[in-house]
Amino acid sequence: MHEIDTAAVFLLVGGDVLEVRWEMRGLNEWLGVGLFIAGDLPASDPDDFVDVSGLPEWHPLLGVPIVGAARSSHVPNEGCPDEVWALRLDFSSGASAVLALGEMVDGHLGYLPDSLVAIFDEAEARNYRLPSSRQSAWCESVAEVPRDRDLG
């Protein structure tokens, strides 16, 4: 697992960018997902980013296409709409990564909606659940990425 402050940014083949971030409006908190065409991502201070490509848990995800995606949703607070809290990305290498709202608390995953965790182990992701969701962070429903859209 890997803790992430507020957003994970994936640089894709061809220069496009996939961003997964914590978002909030009032009491409503969710995992926002954006796909930006090369050059369209708003400029940020390079010091705001940490390059994780050298960390071993990220290696199976580097340079391989994303072939599927799945999401888990929940109702964050009474009266709020159903929102995404976890996103699983499946890669052509057979590896998967789950990005979810949460943090590490005493060595265990805990729900904290203003930060993210990257989970690389299927069992850990299946065990990570929120009382406000019918699905685990593993995100049981999968959508395949269209073959004409390379997200590697």
Side-chain angles (χ1 to χ4, degrees):
M1 289 174 273
H2 188 116
E3 286 185 302
I4 302 167
D5 283 338
T6 58
V9 177
F10 295 86
L11 302 177
L12 306 175
V13 171
D16 294 346
V17 174
L18 175 67
E19 181 183 40
V20 181
R21 64 195 168 279
W22 164 67
E23 295 200 20
M24 181 176 184
R25 184 176 28 254
L27 296 175
N28 195 11
E29 296 175 294
W30 69 93
L31 200 61
V33 179
L35 181 62
F36 299 90
I37 305 305
D40 283 349
L41 186 66
S44 298
D45 184 342
D47 291 337
D48 290 343
F49 295 95
V50 175
D51 181 1
V52 297
S53 62
L55 300 176
E57 59 266 43
W58 292 91
H59 286 178
L61 314 180
L62 301 178
V64 295
I66 298 169
V67 295
R71 66 181 185 92
S72 285
S73 60
H74 76 136
V75 177
N77 290 291
E78 188 174 324
C80 290
D82 202 36
E83 297 289 2
V84 174
W85 73 276
L87 174 71
R88 186 179 86 225
L89 300 174
D90 297 325
F91 295 81
S92 65
S93 63
S96 295
V98 172
L99 298 162
L101 296 176
E103 70 174 359
M104 296 300 296
V105 179
D106 297 326
H108 299 285
L109 285 169
Y111 179 61
L112 183 67
D114 65 353
S115 62
L116 306 177
V117 289
I119 308 167
F120 304 99
D121 182 75
E122 180 178 345
E124 286 285 344
R126 286 187 183 279
N127 286 327
Y128 184 38
R129 295 185 167 273
L130 303 185
S132 56
S133 178
R134 293 183 305 276
Q135 294 184 328
S136 72
W138 185 250
C139 318
E140 285 76 17
S141 58
V142 177
E144 288 188 27
V145 173
R147 297 217 182 259
D148 64 339
R149 184 73 178 145
D150 184 9
L151 295 179

